[in-house]
Amino acid sequence: MSTLTQSLKSGNWRALVACFLYFDTGFTVWVMLGPLAPFIGKDIAMTPAQTGFLVAVPVLGAAILRVTLGNLYQAYDGRKIALMGLTLSAIPSVVLLLMPGTPSYTLLLVLGVFLGVGGASFAVALPMAGSNYPPKVQGLVLGLAAAGNIGAVLDGFMFPGLAEHYGWAHAAGAALPLLALAALALVFWAKDQGVKSGSAPRAFSSFFITVFGLVALVLCVHAGAFGEGRAGVLLLPVLGALLAIAVLPRHYRGVLGERDTWVIMLVYSITFGGFVGMSSYVTTLLISLYGMPRLEAGLFMSLLAFLGALVRPIGGLVADRISGVRALVLLLAAISVIDFVFAAWMPPQGAGIALLVLVYLCFGLGNGATFQLVPQRWQGKTGLMSGIIGAAGGIGGFYLPVIMGMAKESTGSYQMGFATFGALAALAFVLVVALRTHWMSWALPKEVPGGAVLAGGVAHVE
């Protein structure tokens, strides 16, 4: 405990709390369609694939927007960017609260992109929190800031009960007081000490081009412009990623030519993608597999999200001690085994819940371990890399509910969905093992004479 206290006192803890609240409320808004989906389905007729697409759109929105929001953080004050993000992510709640009648499926898809702005807060909250602390505690600090994904707990507890009594559209308005609380914390406590470079006007333009470009792409996919059925849905993340990359400054695109970038992106698409994708879909999964009542399924979703979020700082703290590399080798192997066991067995309710608990613990620990590596490997580019790697996590989270919905609709079972993600986790495990020796050369901050800490080859005096 004394070590934890000393670590927190080594920087600005108020700024850390503000970043936590910003990401926490952003996350709450981001995945709220997941627990609301069973209630939406009572008013709007949807196939399993359409339900999967609806809850996946906010996940994809956050994934793509993290890239250009991270780029914006490199050029402009993080506190002001965060306040803008809170305003944009409040738009869906305001629209659903005030709109008479039942919104259309198409409108919900559009609003889903703006919900994604809440999830994109990751690309600002983490580097802004880290900028207030020395390199040697980055794993813990980034883990604590990113524990804001505990916001998913509020979704399961809050939205199903409100939807049951007041209707799902009005329930969405409950997010507004939370967003206001985060805004107050940002105004009075947040501080961004990150080094800025590049053109802020161009970065703002890139961000808003991506927002409205994503709206257009989602509507085109829904209209069948890129192929009927699954083809357009599966192509959407690729098109969105190309859009975000196209508007990035040329010198930032260079990180996409690095092997380490792609491997870390794959890892995070499994750990965080698994966390957020399953959080968006697990309510539907439990109702479909085990006939669990809607309120009970929503509460269990909250429990899973709480466990995953709670252990994320622990994953960062452990990685500070043994390195994220060693931690990820173990965690990716465990995720792969759990997915394959689920696919081969399709267990009864008790065993299925136990496996879901285990995989969520691995997701949370893996998320913390992954981001312990980022400031060590990409010193001075943490905003950009948080956006790019976070985008990969969001894309993984997009594909999970989509593929689960497609597997259920095509085969009547979720086996192929679990098998697909088990194979991806196994691939990531093999790649991390293959690169283990190279990565260990930079995976931990190194003490150097004079009380400095060396991170990513750059000395920092504390």
Side-chain angles (χ1 to χ4, degrees):
M1 182 60 71
S2 61
T3 301
L4 175 61
T5 302
Q6 290 173 359
S7 297
L8 292 177
K9 286 182 177 179
S10 67
N12 185 344
W13 66 267
R14 288 183 178 85
L16 175 58
V17 170
C19 291
F20 169 85
L21 290 173
Y22 168 43
F23 186 39
D24 183 77
T25 55
F27 203 106
T28 300
V29 171
W30 182 22
V31 298
M32 71 179 181
L33 289 184
L36 289 178
F39 299 92
I40 296 172
K42 295 294 183 180
D43 293 334
I44 302 173
M46 297 182 291
T47 66
Q50 287 175 323
T51 302
F53 184 50
L54 176 64
V55 301
V57 164
V59 179
L60 177 67
I64 305 305
L65 292 173
R66 284 177 175 187
V67 177
T68 48
L69 201 63
N71 174 51
L72 179 56
Y73 175 82
Q74 295 291 143
Y76 195 66
D77 180 64
R79 186 172 70 99
K80 295 177 181 177
I81 297 170
L83 290 169
M84 176 195 72
L86 288 176
T87 302
L88 292 175
S89 58
I91 290 174
S93 293
V94 172
V95 170
L96 292 175
L97 185 63
L98 299 180
M99 183 179 180
T102 301
S104 67
Y105 181 79
T106 301
L107 176 61
L108 291 179
L109 293 178
V110 173
L111 295 179
V113 175
F114 286 92
L115 292 176
V117 178
S121 59
F122 177 91
V124 176
L126 264 68
M128 184 160 61
S131 75
N132 287 275
Y133 280 86
K136 68 179 182 181
V137 295
Q138 289 293 302
L140 173 64
V141 170
L142 297 186
L144 288 170
N149 54 30
I150 203 171
V153 177
L154 296 175
D155 287 273
F157 276 111
M158 183 169 63
F159 290 116
L162 291 173
E164 189 80 30
H165 289 91
Y166 303 107
W168 59 268
H170 290 104
L176 295 175
L178 301 176
L179 294 171
L181 175 64
L184 287 174
L186 287 168
V187 168
F188 291 106
W189 284 356
K191 188 174 183 181
D192 181 12
Q193 300 193 69
V195 177
K196 305 302 175 182
S197 62
S199 168
R202 178 176 176 179
F204 272 107
S205 297
S206 297
F207 173 70
F208 282 104
I209 287 171
T210 310
V211 171
F212 294 108
L214 273 175
V215 170
L217 286 173
V218 167
L219 292 178
C220 285
V221 167
H222 178 52
F226 302 117
E228 295 295 332
R230 304 172 186 174
V233 174
L234 295 176
L235 187 61
L236 180 57
V238 178
L239 296 174
L242 291 175
L243 170 65
I245 292 169
V247 297
L248 277 181
R250 183 177 302 175
H251 64 282
Y252 283 149
R253 297 177 206 161
V255 296
L256 295 173
E258 299 175 14
R259 175 186 60 189
D260 292 348
T261 299
W262 289 96
V263 177
I264 289 286
M265 285 168 64
L266 175 62
V267 170
Y268 204 62
S269 73
I270 292 161
T271 60
F272 184 74
F275 177 88
V276 70
M278 191 60 76
S279 295
S280 295
Y281 198 72
V282 73
T283 304
T284 299
L285 181 74
L286 292 170
I287 293 171
S288 176
L289 273 181
Y290 304 123
M292 193 176 286
R294 290 179 296 177
L295 289 179
E296 186 178 329
L299 290 174
F300 189 71
M301 172 263 186
S302 291
L303 172 62
L304 291 173
F306 176 75
L307 289 174
L310 186 67
V311 300
R312 179 163 184 158
I314 298 173
L317 184 62
V318 170
D320 280 337
R321 302 293 184 269
I322 68 171
S323 87
V325 180
R326 295 190 181 104
L328 286 173
V329 167
L330 298 174
L331 293 167
L332 289 169
I335 291 169
S336 180
V337 169
I338 293 169
D339 280 338
F340 280 127
V341 168
F342 219 114
W345 186 19
M346 293 308 292
Q349 182 170 335
I353 287 175
L355 288 174
L356 287 172
V357 168
L358 287 176
V359 80
Y360 259 81
L361 290 173
C362 291
F363 288 155
L365 292 169
N367 290 335
T370 302
F371 264 85
Q372 183 269 345
L373 297 173
V374 175
Q376 317 306 340
R377 175 62 177 81
W378 290 281
Q379 178 67 33
K381 296 181 180 178
T382 54
L384 176 69
M385 294 309 299
S386 293
I388 290 175
I389 296 167
I395 288 174
F398 170 85
Y399 276 123
L400 190 149
V402 166
I403 290 176
M404 286 293 190
M406 289 181 176
K408 178 65 173 177
E409 191 169 306
S410 300
T411 67
S413 171
Y414 293 108
Q415 285 180 294
M416 288 304 298
F418 279 106
T420 298
F421 294 108
L424 288 172
L427 172 62
F429 166 80
V430 170
L431 291 173
V432 173
V433 169
L435 295 172
R436 181 175 181 273
T437 301
H438 166 62
W439 280 15
M440 285 302 296
S441 66
W442 50 259
L444 284 172
K446 298 174 179 63
E447 296 289 345
V448 297
V453 174
L454 190 66
V458 179
H460 301 261
V461 179
E462 298 170 25

